[in-house]
Amino acid sequence: MDTTPPIIRRALLAIALLFLAGYVLIDRWDEALYYGDSNSYYLHVVSFWVNQDVGDYDATISSLQAANPGSPDPREDEFGIRLTERGRRYIKYTLGVPVIETPFFLLAHAWAKATDAYTADGWSKPYLLAVSLSTIVYLIAGFFLLSRVLQRYFSSRVTAVVLLTLAFATNVFYHATYVTMAHGFLFFNYCLLLWLTERFYDRPGRAKAFGIGLIVGLIALTRVPEVISLLIPLLWGVNSTSTLRERWQFFLRRPAFLLLAGLGLGLAFSPQLGYWYYVSGQLYFNPYEGEGFNFLQPMIYKGWFDFSNGWLIYTPVMLFSLIGLFRLHRHAPGKLLPIALLVGLHAYIHYSYYAWTYFPGLGSRPMVETYPLLAFGLGACFAPLLRHSWAAAGLGLGLLFFTWLNLFQTWQMKKGIIWSERGNAAFYLETFGTLQPTWHSMVAFDTKERQPRDTITLQAADLLFQEGFESAGLPNRSTEQVFQGQGALLPPDGDYTLSDQIALDAAQPGNWLRISLRAYMPAAGRIWNRDLGIILFAELRNADGRRKKRRLMRPTSYIGNSDYSIWHAGTPDQWGEAAFFLRLPRGFEPDWQLRLYLRNPAGQRVYLDEVRVERYVPKN
């Protein structure tokens, strides 16, 4: 008999329906498994069940590229599929996600084999549909389990609000609808661990102890550092030295529980040990070689507050969960220590990783698996507010705003208006609430500086520098493509200095420098990865030659980019202007100078002409 309170039942139904609606509207199910981490996890599944080429992967990668020719070859990525000293290839991603995806894969495999309409190769539509839907199914199951746990400590109303907040005002929605990665599955695993831990301490039993070990092992199998999740069952309910002593005595009297939990953990993790031994001849080796941790300099502050995917920048509603931890002892005694300890260790470990921005994701994705724990903080924060009508109304309005913000930014990600992993404060402010990219947002993305909102209020004061490459003696001068005059610049590989000493003696703090050039990219010079295209740098240096400010832009991406897309690589065979404004800072001194130089990391073939630096001042 279903004893779920009606308000929670309605909340769970809303989560299920709106996740499915978002899945349909965002409409990435038929491409998500072809790229990125989603693809890397799924390669394990197709290799094992379809091609039986584990340790080689040639047939699996060939089938991927036959199904989607645009997919990159992971063997060509230095951090993709690599060789061990044993001569076998390996996928660095662990087996937890493939194991969790397998039931849905097998359903799709049976479907594809039962009909002639689809190829049973692991890449046709039944597979893409079933596996991408698996995240939503696991998340819905996770929310159901979490509701059972939260109801023990909070009212039905508070529990329903917490569930809806996590589902729609955080990046859980992004992971339900946009990608097929580890974090949605880990959310479910942590909910399951909490639920079983509660049941274990209600009525301890050997089967439950073994099950807890299995879940912790599956969590570690999904992301190895998550093995710290074992702190939850060990410390759940501990809030003092006396309760810690009681917990110690509890396990001393019942060692079988620890042995069975350890057995379950080892059993769940054993497929990974077997895989590592098969590909390398070692039970353990570092599959992330070259992608290390620096535990002496964790980037927790940036991971939470930086505009490059910072957790609380893109998921600000979760600040309530941290505030609520200070009140948690009133609602859930004995839960603060394990929650705070695990979340703290989790942040310390994950933000010691070299790639702390964690591409891809709308906000910092490693925090998603902590949400079942931080749900207690949300509940403790919301509970007193929901007791008073005026406070509840204010909370409701605030949560509606955070929900709109999260769903709207998910839509912006879909449309390519924002790119949270590469964001900055200026770009965030320029794109906040916008329905389409603008010149201002595009330049802010490159330069990390907001541009003048209304250039009508500015006027050109003087021309500080101009180079048209007319002198025949200039290095790398070309006459093949010219915007104006008789010459243009064909930059070499590496760095090329346009000018080291542009005088700024007439300038004042707050003046703007408009830096511009014309660019022409032949079709043969097009580089689809704009990060590898030629870069223009502008540096302000003081009298001692110390750099005081630097801005950059990628000129070719502005050619023919009428939509101002940050993804644009440039339209070939036409001239276009690239320009930006640089504001002189408050500490500017007249003896500072401007340096302009180019960097051409990939040797892009591009012609540049009419480089100018103009000083702009406010109109009188």
Side-chain angles (χ1 to χ4, degrees):
M1 179 179 178
D2 185 8
T3 59
T4 306
I7 189 172
I8 295 178
R9 192 182 306 123
R10 289 194 290 269
L12 292 171
L13 180 60
I15 291 170
L17 293 177
L18 292 177
F19 273 10
L20 289 171
Y23 174 85
V24 172
L25 291 173
I26 291 176
D27 193 27
R28 292 193 77 248
W29 66 271
D30 59 347
E31 62 180 61
L33 292 178
Y34 287 146
Y35 304 100
D37 291 2
S38 301
N39 172 257
S40 298
Y41 285 118
Y42 187 59
L43 287 173
H44 277 301
V45 182
V46 179
S47 173
F48 181 82
W49 290 104
V50 179
N51 298 304
Q52 292 83 50
D53 62 348
V54 174
D56 178 70
Y57 303 110
D58 285 342
T60 297
I61 295 168
S62 295
S63 67
L64 164 65
Q65 294 184 320
N68 185 57
S71 294
D73 189 334
R75 294 167 297 191
E76 297 175 359
D77 182 353
E78 64 173 322
F79 295 134
I81 291 180
R82 290 173 275 184
L83 281 172
T84 65
E85 293 181 359
R86 201 176 195 179
R88 286 179 175 153
R89 294 192 179 103
Y90 69 93
I91 299 171
K92 67 182 180 182
Y93 297 91
T94 50
L95 298 174
V97 170
V99 167
I100 296 170
E101 289 176 341
T102 288
F104 291 83
F105 169 87
L106 293 176
L107 287 173
H109 201 47
W111 177 9
K113 285 192 168 185
T115 176
D116 294 332
Y118 303 105
T119 305
D121 60 355
W123 302 107
S124 57
K125 286 187 176 180
Y127 300 97
L128 304 180
L129 179 64
V131 175
S132 60
L133 271 173
S134 66
T135 305
I136 291 179
V137 175
Y138 283 112
L139 281 170
I140 293 170
F143 276 107
F144 175 78
L145 293 172
L146 184 59
S147 73
R148 295 288 183 169
V149 175
L150 292 177
Q151 286 177 77
R152 290 170 163 247
Y153 305 98
F154 304 101
S155 69
S156 299
R157 186 184 184 194
V158 171
T159 298
V161 173
V162 169
L163 297 177
L164 292 171
T165 299
L166 289 176
F168 302 120
T170 76
N171 49 349
V172 167
F173 184 83
Y174 176 90
H175 285 272
T177 59
Y178 209 92
V179 290
T180 305
M181 295 179 66
H183 309 284
F185 300 131
L186 283 169
F187 180 95
F188 164 76
N189 289 337
Y190 271 91
C191 291
L192 181 57
L193 180 59
L194 285 173
W195 177 78
L196 191 53
T197 297
E198 289 274 346
R199 288 173 59 86
F200 174 79
Y201 285 113
D202 284 344
R203 184 176 295 180
R206 294 184 176 185
K208 295 172 187 175
F210 181 72
I212 286 173
L214 280 175
I215 298 166
V216 171
L218 181 58
I219 290 172
L221 186 66
T222 305
R223 286 172 74 90
V224 175
E226 305 283 350
V227 72
I228 61 173
S229 60
L230 58 83
L231 293 173
I232 295 174
L234 288 176
L235 298 178
W236 199 244
V238 172
N239 63 351
S240 64
T241 55
S242 61
T243 52
L244 180 61
R245 193 179 305 113
E246 290 172 6
R247 182 59 50 83
W248 174 259
Q249 293 296 327
F250 174 85
F251 284 115
L252 279 181
R253 292 192 298 268
R254 302 169 180 85
F257 289 159
L258 291 177
L259 291 173
L260 286 167
L263 179 63
L265 193 160
L267 182 63
F269 198 74
S270 61
Q272 190 63 53
L273 298 177
Y275 176 76
W276 282 336
Y277 185 79
Y278 176 74
V279 297
S280 72
Q282 305 172 57
L283 283 176
Y284 177 80
F285 77 108
N286 179 18
Y288 283 80
E289 186 177 352
E291 302 175 76
F293 291 81
N294 184 351
F295 292 109
L296 297 179
Q297 291 184 319
M299 307 294 282
I300 298 174
Y301 181 83
K302 284 193 172 184
W304 284 13
F305 296 105
D306 196 275
F307 284 89
S308 292
N309 240 15
W311 174 45
L312 294 176
I313 295 295
Y314 294 94
T315 313
V317 74
M318 290 306 289
L319 182 61
F320 290 113
S321 70
L322 301 180
I323 295 172
L325 293 180
F326 292 97
R327 296 180 47 86
L328 188 56
H329 64 282
R330 302 186 182 186
H331 301 273
K335 307 305 183 288
L336 177 60
L337 175 63
I339 291 173
L341 183 59
L342 189 134
V343 172
L345 279 174
H346 184 277
Y348 171 72
I349 292 169
H350 284 81
Y351 296 116
S352 294
Y353 189 52
Y354 84 107
W356 56 268
T357 57
Y358 284 100
F359 170 87
L362 179 62
S364 195
R365 54 186 169 88
M367 295 304 296
V368 170
E369 51 261 36
T370 69
Y371 291 174
L373 295 168
L374 291 174
F376 285 81
L378 285 177
C381 186
F382 293 167
L385 298 175
L386 290 173
R387 295 193 191 109
H388 307 283
S389 58
W390 61 270
L395 176 64
L397 289 174
L399 294 180
L400 282 175
F401 168 76
F402 289 124
T403 298
W404 166 82
L405 178 64
N406 182 62
L407 299 181
F408 185 73
Q409 288 185 331
T410 303
W411 175 84
Q412 286 182 308
M413 288 282 284
K414 163 70 175 175
K415 292 296 184 180
I417 298 172
I418 65 173
W419 189 5
S420 63
E421 302 93 331
R422 296 283 297 276
N424 59 71
F427 180 63
Y428 183 90
L429 293 172
E430 290 291 353
T431 56
F432 188 87
T434 59
L435 297 175
Q436 60 186 15
T438 64
W439 177 83
H440 284 84
S441 65
M442 182 180 177
V443 177
F445 178 78
D446 269 350
T447 66
K448 300 182 180 180
E449 182 169 23
R450 298 188 78 182
Q451 301 295 288
R453 300 307 303 168
D454 186 1
T455 54
I456 296 176
T457 63
L458 298 177
Q459 62 184 359
D462 44 29
L463 177 64
L464 304 179
F465 174 79
Q466 182 172 13
E467 178 59 77
F469 307 103
E470 299 303 309
S471 174
L474 285 173
N476 298 97
R477 179 177 180 268
S478 172
T479 58
E480 294 178 6
Q481 291 290 341
V482 176
F483 175 74
Q484 185 172 298
Q486 302 300 315
L489 177 70
L490 182 61
D493 298 359
D495 289 2
Y496 181 93
T497 299
L498 293 166
S499 179
D500 253 340
Q501 299 178 333
I502 300 175
L504 304 172
D505 50 314
Q508 297 179 2
N511 288 178
W512 292 91
L513 304 181
R514 185 179 189 270
I515 301 162
S516 63
L517 56 76
R518 302 284 177 162
Y520 180 96
M521 178 183 64
R526 191 170 195 176
I527 296 177
W528 289 102
N529 182 351
R530 73 190 298 274
D531 287 346
L532 299 179
I534 195 166
I535 308 170
L536 170 66
F537 288 91
E539 288 184 353
L540 287 174
R541 294 179 175 266
N542 66 9
D544 298 328
R546 295 180 59 188
R547 188 174 74 198
K548 306 298 289 186
K549 185 174 182 177
R550 182 172 75 167
R551 294 292 182 257
L552 65 86
M553 76 180 323
R554 294 169 171 81
T556 54
S557 64
Y558 291 78
I559 304 174
N561 188 0
S562 59
D563 294 330
Y564 306 116
S565 170
I566 58 175
W567 306 92
H568 192 71
T571 303
D573 300 329
Q574 68 179 64
W575 284 95
E577 183 184 50
F580 67 93
F581 284 86
L582 183 155
R583 191 167 197 172
L584 299 180
R586 288 182 181 179
F588 171 80
E589 298 288 346
D591 58 359
W592 289 16
Q593 294 181 329
L594 180 70
R595 179 191 179 207
L596 288 185
Y597 67 98
L598 301 164
R599 179 162 296 163
N600 197 4
Q604 183 180 28
R605 188 172 182 82
V606 58
Y607 300 89
L608 307 178
D609 204 353
E610 293 303 311
V611 181
R612 294 168 61 91
V613 178
E614 301 165 274
R615 182 169 67 97
Y616 276 71
V617 298
K619 289 183 178 178
N620 294 329

